[in-house]
Amino acid sequence: MELLSNLGLGFSVALTFTNIFYCFLGVVLGTLIGVLPGIGPVPTIAMLLPITYALPPVSALIMLAGIYYGAQYGGSTTAILVNLPGESSSVVTCIDGYQMARQGRAGKALAVAAIGSFIAGTFATLVVAGFAPPLAEVALKFGPAEYFSLMVLGLISAVVLASGSLVKAIGMIVLGLLLGIIGTDVNSGLQRYTFGIPELSDGIGFVVVAMGLFAFAEIIINLEHRGHREVFTDKVSNLMLTWKEFKEVLPAIARGTGIGSVLGILPGGGALLSAFAAYTIEKKISKEPQSFGKGNIRGVAAPESANNSGSQASFIPLLTLGIPPNAVMALMVGAMTIHSIQPGPQVMTSNPQLFWGLIASMWIGNLMLVVLNLPMIGIWVKLLQVPYRLLYPAILVFCCIGTYSLQNNVFDVVLTVVFGVLGWIFVKLECEPAPLLLGFILGPLMEENLRRALLLSRGDPTVFVTRPISATLIALAAILLIIVALPMIRKKREEAFHEEAA
């Protein structure tokens, strides 16, 4: 009964005209950037963070959340029609979705992607509503030592699940932690790593780092790619599944939804890992594995369901523990911080309207998406024909205006450009920037909880291993790092990410 009353509160917040409008705006923007290859939700949310200053906190988070799970819907359109993943988690959808389009079954592929996404999104929202409250109650028992150990586990998990070299991922985490402590030390008042630059005395802005590493870097990278895009515009028909086809894909949708709901919670996981795992499992249990990659409809249903449920399940650690499991959730932490909201279990008790309003908006957003996507296929296809030479300069101008508007400071724009070049260099060196962003977000929080734990224990460092919950989290982090460092596991991991990239 308590859950029903909480959901009633959530719907009363989400169904106001203002929040419905921002939910609609979020899912439309999400679908738009999902359709356009090479942009994605991370750069878009980074670009829109300055706008959220002027919005109510609930409306801002509802819009940003809509962009995230809306991009999962839109990414499938490009993957199926152009063989380009509009969003990273749609890379698996290209394998069978594009082959279906070549066979004249683009409508069926788009339909199963929309239906699977809606079912998965609805179920994942139920998971968030059901599991978040008890998990938040457990989190309320956490002290500074437990929070520090939890953040260590989160960073180690992000390292393990990051693609590419393990050493490079650890290096990016450490670099993010170092960037996070630039500025004035709260306790001593001394400036750290500012190099005499007055603008760095307050630290580096979160928006500056996010926009540079993702928005600017993505544009630079995409400008290098040239090639003809074959768009199947004249074959998008038969957008309804037959009953036989629906019965065929329903088990795949159910399995993909379950996999995404579990893997989405893991730090570093989310939509991409969920989609890859769902496709792999579907292929292994199939009686005709050779049909995958040749237009098997289950090869579209499973990853599309998984990436949507994974994207929404990733809100659980953010809302209950205050730990962002991926780069998009790290941006959501930034949005909450902008509005002076401390992510974690206190959100549910101190601001229940925000917590339950955000959850309820996910149902509304998923309903909007399934209604919007199929009838508007023609519009999305037209957008695929927009020349990038017109699109990218407009995005860059918008980014610069947004960055400057934060503090009316040209130095922030220059710093964003610097991080954009760094992001491009990181990609060339095969260093994933997402762990750096997680380290940058969690660094100050880790330092704060480390100092607080040592202060309460009177300088005794064993407090992290003598408290049961903290010791368990530290042990899990150590075991995870040792396991992934084993030669056999490391080889399998590299093979998996190589197959995913291919």
Side-chain angles (χ1 to χ4, degrees), residues 33-258:
I33 58 98
V35 167
L36 295 172
I39 302 178
V42 177
T44 305
I45 292 175
M47 286 186 282
L48 292 177
L49 277 176
I51 295 175
T52 63
Y53 276 100
L55 298 180
V58 180
S59 301
L61 292 178
I62 285 175
M63 182 184 71
L64 296 178
I67 290 171
Y68 182 35
Y69 57 80
Q72 316 306 321
Y73 278 76
S76 63
T77 302
T78 315
I80 291 165
L81 297 178
V82 197
N83 199 29
L84 286 172
E87 208 281 316
S88 60
S89 61
S90 299
V91 67
V92 188
T93 308
C94 293
I95 301 171
D96 282 279
Y98 184 67
Q99 292 302 319
M100 288 182 70
R102 292 182 63 124
Q103 297 163 13
R105 296 191 294 151
K108 300 286 186 183
L110 291 166
V112 76
I115 293 168
S117 297
F118 175 72
I119 293 173
T122 303
F123 179 80
T125 307
L126 280 172
V127 171
V128 176
F131 282 88
L135 193 58
E137 288 184 16
V138 174
L140 286 171
K141 299 177 182 179
F142 281 26
E146 285 78 13
Y147 266 112
F148 174 80
S149 301
L150 179 66
M151 291 173 193
V152 170
L153 177 60
L155 290 178
I156 294 296
S157 301
V159 166
V160 170
L161 296 172
S163 60
S165 165
L166 195 66
V167 175
K168 289 179 181 178
I170 293 173
M172 295 298 281
I173 287 280
V174 173
L175 181 58
L177 293 172
L178 292 173
L179 289 172
I181 62 174
I182 290 175
T184 305
D185 181 21
V186 176
N187 292 334
S188 65
L190 297 175
Q191 293 190 4
R192 302 183 295 188
Y193 306 111
T194 59
F195 303 104
I197 302 173
E199 289 86 353
L200 291 178
S201 58
D202 290 331
I204 299 174
F206 168 77
V207 176
V208 169
V209 176
M211 203 177 285
L213 286 178
F214 292 97
F216 277 46
E218 282 290 329
I219 290 171
I220 296 170
I221 293 161
N222 280 286
L223 287 174
E224 297 179 354
H225 301 306
R226 294 183 179 181
H228 174 67
R229 291 179 288 175
E230 184 182 13
V231 184
F232 290 90
T233 55
D234 57 339
K235 298 182 180 179
V236 182
S237 58
N238 297 324
L239 290 169
M240 293 298 292
L241 296 177
T242 64
W243 177 243
K244 181 181 177 182
E245 288 169 332
F246 184 72
K247 285 196 297 183
E248 180 186 354
V249 299
L250 193 58
I253 290 173
R255 283 188 289 267
T257 301

Side-chain angles (χ1 to χ4, degrees), residues 362-409:
M362 293 180 188
W363 268 306
I364 299 168
N366 275 285
L367 185 60
M368 287 178 177
L369 282 165
V370 79
V371 172
L372 279 172
N373 269 266
L374 296 179
M376 295 178 69
I377 286 295
I379 296 175
W380 304 133
V381 168
K382 291 293 182 185
L383 285 170
L384 290 172
Q385 300 168 356
V386 175
Y388 282 177
R389 66 178 183 275
L390 302 178
L391 184 66
Y392 286 151
I395 293 173
L396 283 174
V397 170
F398 184 77
C399 286
C400 292
I401 293 171
T403 306
Y404 178 79
S405 66
L406 291 175
Q407 299 184 47
N408 295 330
N409 192 345

